[in-house]
Amino acid sequence: MSERPGTANANGLTGKRVVITGSSMGIGRAVAERLLREGARVVINARHEGALQDVVAAGASAAGEVTAYAGSVADYRHAQKLVATCIDTYGGIDVLINCAGIAEPEGTTILDIEPDDWRNLIDSHLHGTFNTCRQAAPLMARQGGGTIINTSSHAFLGMYGGTGYAAGKGAVNSLSYAMAADLKEHAIDVNVVCPGAKTRLSTGEAFENKILELHRKGILSDERKHSALNPASPGYVASLYAFLASELARGLTGKVFWGSGGYIGRFGPNEQEVLATMDQGASEPWSVGELAGLLADNGHVQSNDSD
């Protein structure tokens, strides 16, 4: 783990034309306020107009410019209008940051979640991200480049349980990897942030009870439980988004970062591990017993060659 390096003199953000979804509160708002202080021109977004007015008022005294568009980006038409607002107001789009999302219904698992709740989670996290990226990416390609920053979560690892939230975040990671590969030739950088911060989704009695229950079941480590119950303010991780949006990060693409408070990190690249090989031209398919011997987790599966 490295210590904090020196800060750069130039922020590389002044004048950037930015769209930020889910920016009326929490992490999205912190990112918007940070970029406005740095001189960016920002279109903020939330489902309801009233929720955006405080951010507009706060941005009035910032170095940048701010305008608002209300509408859920889970609706493709609203995603289209949101990106069009940036084009019409600022003449283009340089950066798209997806922060919109909703919480998993309290206490639900695959045993009892309602199909409508599942669809709402996937619509918010995956389809909302796709909708804005589908609108912004072709415009960025025609402009000769751009930056897309999507928001995921450690929940994609399954450590916080749930269904649609975890699945949606995992899908955002996969979508982002694929887009990074497809868009590299167009000079469009695509990265992901898994943020940790004190927001409406990570506070309150219900959240605390869930974390304590996951810890009791052995799903969360002591360290993960402590960090979940003591989140830092969103301002810390907003700096990571600001860096990725800046010119200082140009050419950095296809990465999944995480940040919370004084910690910052990156998930390793997707890798495959070869466990065994055979000559399929001269061998029969693996027997069940052979696979048990090869794939057993710490000896928990007993091998039986009899099949």
Side-chain angles (χ1 to χ4, degrees):
M1 180 174 65
S2 299
E3 297 298 323
R4 182 177 181 176
T7 56
N9 293 325
N11 62 32
L13 288 164
T14 302
K16 287 276 189 182
R17 301 163 296 185
V18 184
V19 168
I20 308 176
T21 72
S23 43
S24 66
M25 62 181 71
I27 292 168
R29 176 170 179 164
V31 173
E33 292 178 343
R34 175 61 185 270
L35 295 186
L36 286 168
R37 290 198 303 271
E38 299 281 1
R41 295 174 286 176
V42 180
V43 180
I44 57 174
N45 161 257
R47 285 176 288 179
H48 305 294
E49 180 70 34
L52 296 167
Q53 294 312 305
D54 285 347
V55 188
V56 172
S61 60
E65 302 174 43
V66 60
T67 192
Y69 177 84
S72 171
V73 294
D75 184 324
Y76 191 73
R77 295 166 298 178
H78 280 304
Q80 184 178 41
K81 292 176 181 177
L82 171 61
V83 173
T85 298
C86 190
I87 303 299
D88 295 342
T89 306
Y90 300 128
I93 178 170
D94 301 307
V95 182
L96 168 64
I97 302 176
N98 281 301
C99 290
I102 60 174
E104 186 94 9
E106 183 180 338
T108 57
T109 71
I110 194 63
L111 297 174
D112 53 19
I113 190 169
E114 294 295 331
D116 284 347
D117 289 329
W118 162 269
R119 281 189 289 268
N120 288 337
L121 287 159
I122 298 300
D123 280 347
S124 178
H125 295 282
L126 176 58
H127 294 160
T129 298
F130 164 80
N131 289 343
T132 55
C133 290
R134 178 63 181 84
Q135 291 297 323
L139 297 172
M140 290 178 176
R142 288 198 289 271
Q143 289 174 179
T147 298
I148 295 173
I149 306 167
N150 294 325
T151 298
S152 183
S153 166
H154 278 82
F156 87 91
L157 297 169
M159 64 176 58
Y160 294 107
T163 55
Y165 189 90
K169 292 306 189 185
V172 165
N173 290 351
S174 295
L175 173 63
S176 300
Y177 281 131
M179 289 196 303
D182 285 341
L183 298 176
K184 189 172 184 179
E185 65 177 299
H186 300 287
I188 300 172
D189 299 326
V190 184
N191 292 293
V192 178
V193 175
C194 296
K198 187 175 183 178
T199 71
R200 77 189 192 284
L201 301 184
S202 59
T203 54
E205 184 177 357
F207 174 80
E208 292 176 4
N209 288 339
K210 177 181 179 180
I211 295 301
L212 292 174
E213 179 66 6
L214 291 170
H215 178 260
R216 185 191 67 79
K217 292 179 177 179
I219 297 173
L220 286 183
S221 66
D222 291 344
E223 181 182 8
R224 185 63 65 182
K225 181 195 77 168
H226 177 77
S227 63
L229 294 177
N230 297 276
S233 72
Y236 286 92
V237 74
S239 296
L240 177 54
Y241 285 88
F243 161 69
L244 292 172
S246 76
E247 285 300 304
L248 301 176
R250 292 298 291 156
L252 180 63
T253 191
K255 308 297 182 185
V256 177
F257 296 95
W258 59 268
S260 179
Y263 294 88
I264 192 167
R266 185 177 67 197
F267 285 95
N270 290 332
E271 295 180 352
Q272 299 179 77
E273 179 185 2
V274 176
L275 299 178
T277 62
M278 69 173 179
D279 181 359
Q280 67 262 29
S283 304
E284 294 295 321
W286 301 107
S287 72
V288 173
E290 287 171 330
L291 291 174
L294 291 169
L295 306 180
D297 183 10
N298 296 321
H300 292 161
V301 178
Q302 296 297 316
S303 176
N304 187 338
D305 287 335
S306 66
D307 276 55

